[in-house]
C-alpha cells in the first residue's frame, strides 16, 4: 500500500488513495495500525481519498483510535493540497465532500505548487441539539464544575463539537480536556480548546481532540476558538490563532468561516497490510 505522510501546523495525517474502495469497511483497523507511533507510521489520523457523486472528490477522516470524524480543518487543507499537487483534480477552487457537507478549498500557488490553502468551513451552530448537548439553552460562557474544578465553557458545532475554555494557558493542563470531553453534558463527547486572548487580533490555544488526544493543532478548534472569542467580544472578525504546531488565520464572514494555512508533505512510502 502506498501512502503519503502530511502535516498542517503539526497536525499529522496519512493520506491513502482509496478511489477503488479497497479499504471500505476496514477503516477502523487501518487507522489504528497505521497511526501507532511505535509500531506503525504514526499520525493523528488517516485521510482516505474516495470518489464522490456530490462533489469532485470525497475525504473520509478516521481518528487514530479508529473513530470516524465528520470534519477536520487541518486534515482538509492537507487533503486538498495533495489532491491538487498530485494532479488528481486541478480545479481551483476545489469542492470536497466531507461528513460535514461539501467544503470549498481555495489555493494560493507558488511555482505551480500549493503554498497556502483557504477553506470555507461553513457556519457554526450553537443549538444544543446540533452539538449535541444535554441542555435546552445555548452553552455560552456557562460555569460548570468538572472533576472538582470550575470552568467557564462555550460550546458549538464547528463540523464537530468544540468546547472552549478561556484563561491563561499556563493555568490549564491540556490533559484536563480528557475529563471535559466526557462531561455528562456531551453525550457524544466534545473536543476541548483552552484559549488565551493576546489582543483583539491574536489568540493562542492548546487542544484536546476527541479520538486523538492532545494534538499540536486543530483546524476546527482554531475556528471555534476564534468564533467564541469574537462572540464574547474579545476579538474582531479576523484573528490569528497560534497553536503549538503553527498559526492559522481565521476570518468570520457572512458566507462562512474561512481558515487559511499551509500543509507540508513529510514523506511518501509503502507498507504491507
Amino acid at each position: 500500500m502506498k501512502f503519503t505522510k502530511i502535516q498542517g501546523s503539526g497536525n499529522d495525517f496519512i493520506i491513502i488513495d482509496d478511489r477503488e474502495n479497497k479499504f471500505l469497511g476496514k477503516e477502523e483497523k487501518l487507522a489504528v495500525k497505521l497511526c501507532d507511533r511505535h509500531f506503525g507510521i504514526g499520525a493523528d489520523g488517516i485521510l482516505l481519498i474516495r470518489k464522490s457523486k456530490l462533489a469532485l472528490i470525497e475525504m473520509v477522516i478516521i481518528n487514530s483510535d479508529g473513530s470516524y470524524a465528520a470534519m477536520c480543518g487541518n486534515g482538509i487543507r492537507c487533503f486538498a493540497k495533495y489532491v491538487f499537487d498530485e494532479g488528481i483534480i486541478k480545479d481551483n477552487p476545489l469542492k470536497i465532500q466531507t461528513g460535514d457537507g461539501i467544503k470549498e478549498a481555495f489555493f494560493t500557488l507558488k511555482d505551480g505548487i500549493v503554498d497556502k490553502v483557504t477553506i470555507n468551513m461553513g457556519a457554526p451552530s450553537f443549538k444544543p441539539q446540533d452539538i449535541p448537548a444535554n441542555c435546552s439553552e445555548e452553552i455560552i460562557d456557562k460555569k460548570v464544575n468538572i472533576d472538582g474544578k470550575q470552568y467557564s465553557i462555550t460550546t458549538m458545532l464547528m463540523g464537530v463539537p468544540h468546547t472552549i475554555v478561556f484563561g491563561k494557558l499556563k493555568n490549564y493542563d491540556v490533559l484536563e480536556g480528557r475529563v471535559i470531553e466526557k462531561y455528562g453534558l456531551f453525550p457524544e463527547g466534545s473536543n476541548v480548546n483552552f484559549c488565551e486572548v493576546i489582543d483583539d487580533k491574536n489568540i493562542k490555544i492548546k487542544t484536546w481532540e476527541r479520538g486523538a488526544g492532545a494534538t499540536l493543532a486543530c483546524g476546527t478548534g482554531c475556528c471555534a476558538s476564534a468564533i467564541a472569542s469574537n462572540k464574547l467580544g474579545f476579538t474582531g472578525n479576523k484573528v490569528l490563532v497560534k497553536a503549538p504546531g503553527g498559526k492559522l488565520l481565521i476570518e468570520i464572514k457572512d458566507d462562512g468561516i474561512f481558515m487559511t494555512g499551509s500543509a507540508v508533505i513529510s514523506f511518501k512510502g509503502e507498507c504491507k497490510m
Side-chain angles (χ1 to χ4, degrees):
M1 184 194 76
K2 294 182 179 180
F3 69 89
T4 296
K5 178 76 179 289
I6 191 168
Q7 59 89 9
S9 301
N11 203 187
D12 58 343
F13 306 92
I14 299 161
I15 295 183
I16 302 164
D17 190 340
D18 195 35
R19 284 177 287 172
E20 301 303 320
N21 291 327
K22 292 181 180 179
F23 300 107
L24 190 64
K26 304 174 184 176
E27 295 91 346
E28 180 180 347
K29 290 183 179 179
L30 185 69
V32 171
K33 181 175 182 179
L34 295 183
C35 292
D36 189 294
R37 296 190 183 275
H38 300 287
F39 298 102
I41 300 165
D44 292 323
I46 65 172
L47 307 173
L48 297 168
I49 302 171
R50 295 252 170 91
K51 294 178 181 178
S52 172
K53 294 181 180 179
L54 303 177
L56 294 172
I57 203 77
E58 180 182 7
M59 175 182 72
V60 176
I61 311 157
I62 310 295
N63 293 316
S64 59
D65 69 350
S67 61
Y68 169 80
M71 184 56 184
C72 175
N74 288 321
I76 196 170
R77 284 203 328 281
C78 292
F79 181 93
K81 174 183 170 62
Y82 180 87
V83 167
F84 188 92
D85 283 351
E86 291 295 316
I88 296 172
I89 297 176
K90 299 293 286 186
D91 286 39
N92 185 11
L94 171 64
K95 291 186 177 181
I96 303 168
Q97 180 183 348
T98 75
D100 187 44
I102 295 173
K103 306 298 181 185
E104 204 164 20
F106 304 84
F107 302 111
T108 300
L109 306 179
K110 187 175 182 179
D111 298 325
I113 302 297
V114 173
D115 181 46
K116 299 283 185 182
V117 184
T118 297
I119 305 289
N120 183 347
M121 299 287 285
S125 174
F126 287 87
K127 296 178 180 178
Q129 63 267 32
D130 292 342
I131 293 170
N134 294 323
C135 60
S136 57
E137 298 180 347
E138 293 182 347
I139 305 169
I140 299 174
D141 203 21
K142 178 182 176 66
K143 288 183 172 55
V144 295
N145 192 289
I146 304 175
D147 202 30
K149 186 171 182 177
Q150 189 176 77
Y151 301 92
S152 289
I153 64 172
T154 298
T155 303
M156 72 192 76
L157 182 74
M158 187 66 240
V160 288
H162 273 284
T163 294
I164 299 89
V165 178
F166 286 97
K168 295 288 185 181
L169 291 188
K170 65 181 181 180
N171 295 334
Y172 299 102
D173 187 326
V174 71
L175 295 180
E176 293 176 46
R178 189 200 306 269
V179 181
I180 299 173
E181 175 198 348
K182 303 294 185 181
Y183 184 50
L185 192 60
F186 311 121
E188 296 179 12
S190 175
N191 297 281
V192 182
N193 309 275
F194 299 98
C195 179
E196 181 175 340
V197 178
I198 306 304
D199 54 41
D200 62 353
K201 293 182 177 63
N202 296 273
I203 61 175
K204 58 182 181 179
I205 72 169
K206 54 186 180 183
T207 301
W208 175 270
E209 289 197 56
R210 181 184 63 171
T215 57
L216 293 179
C218 174
T220 51
C222 287
C223 291
S225 298
I227 294 162
S229 62
N230 175 263
K231 194 173 186 69
L232 294 175
F234 300 143
T235 55
N237 292 334
K238 188 174 182 179
V239 63
L240 188 66
V241 185
K242 183 179 180 181
K247 299 176 181 179
L248 291 176
L249 179 65
I250 309 299
E251 296 183 75
I252 302 170
K253 299 182 179 181
D254 292 338
D255 56 340
I257 309 302
F258 289 78
M259 172 195 65
T260 300
S262 62
V264 179
I265 291 177
S266 303
F267 56 87
K268 297 182 179 182
E270 296 183 18
C271 63
K272 291 183 179 181
M273 295 304 300

